[in-house]
Amino acid sequence: MSKINFDDYNFEVISVETTGSYLLTLNKNSLTFDKSIAEALGYTSHVKPLLDRENKVFAIQACKANSLKSIPFSKPESQQKGSIKMQYGAIRNLLRSLMGDKWKEEMRYQFKGDLIPDKKAMIFELEKFEELSPFIPRNTK
């Protein structure tokens, strides 16, 4: 029998719900927001996509469904099971064009977001990214 006493340790519960980073992945055909972004924005049903061209910053801001130029974002907390995928070509193409020569068609790019709680917004600096390997669909040989 072990002499280890569970109560002698100071355990904390590890959350498997979030990665600790707010990650946006820009793929060839879509944008994928990590579930932690939905959580940080309170599982808002709609967001406004925002762009600061001069500073090359992309943002999403929580808003109501009837707000001007809002787009669907998250399901309620109990129903949002994973990441959020968007296939808005206009957004994707704007982000790609602002990346300029750094964009390589076959690659994927990951951006870390910064939460601005009082604005209910998440911002992504387009100059700060990690280049990921190309997406290879399953079932291809």
Side-chain angles (χ1 to χ4, degrees), residues 82-97:
S83 59
I84 297 168
K85 188 174 184 177
M86 290 185 175
Q87 294 184 315
Y88 294 103
I91 297 172
R92 190 182 65 246
N93 291 338
L94 276 171
L95 300 183
R96 287 166 51 173
S97 69

Side-chain angles (χ1 to χ4, degrees), residues 22-122:
Y22 306 121
L23 300 175
L24 164 64
T25 305
L26 179 57
N27 300 302
K28 184 176 181 179
N29 297 316
S30 65
L31 296 110
T32 304
F33 296 87
D34 190 82
K35 184 180 174 186
S36 63
I37 295 172
E39 182 180 344
L41 295 177
Y43 294 94
T44 184
S45 66
H46 287 75
V47 295
K48 278 193 245 182
L50 307 168
L51 187 64
D52 178 342
R53 290 177 193 264
E54 183 178 340
N55 293 305
K56 296 186 177 184
V57 175
F58 171 65
I60 55 172
Q61 184 175 35
C63 66
K64 295 184 177 185
N66 60 358
S67 298
L68 185 65
K69 298 190 178 183
S70 69
I71 57 175
F73 187 66
S74 176
K75 297 174 185 172
E77 180 179 3
S78 62
Q79 297 173 22
Q80 186 64 50
K81 300 298 180 200
S83 59
I84 297 168
K85 188 174 184 177
M86 290 185 175
Q87 294 184 315
Y88 294 103
I91 297 172
R92 190 182 65 246
N93 291 338
L94 276 171
L95 300 183
R96 287 166 51 173
S97 69
L98 287 176
M99 290 177 67
D101 295 341
K102 296 172 185 167
W103 173 264
K104 297 175 192 163
E105 188 66 26
E106 71 279 5
M107 303 305 281
R108 301 177 300 136
Y109 297 90
Q110 196 165 65
F111 305 88
K112 286 189 177 178
D114 289 308
L115 177 66
I116 313 295
D118 62 324
K119 299 294 182 185
K120 296 182 180 177
M122 186 73 63

Side-chain angles (χ1 to χ4, degrees), residues 1-19:
M1 181 157 214
S2 173
K3 294 182 179 181
I4 296 175
N5 185 353
F6 185 82
D7 294 329
D8 288 342
Y9 298 95
N10 189 22
F11 289 112
E12 62 181 272
V13 177
I14 300 170
S15 174
V16 295
E17 297 294 320
T18 62
T19 61

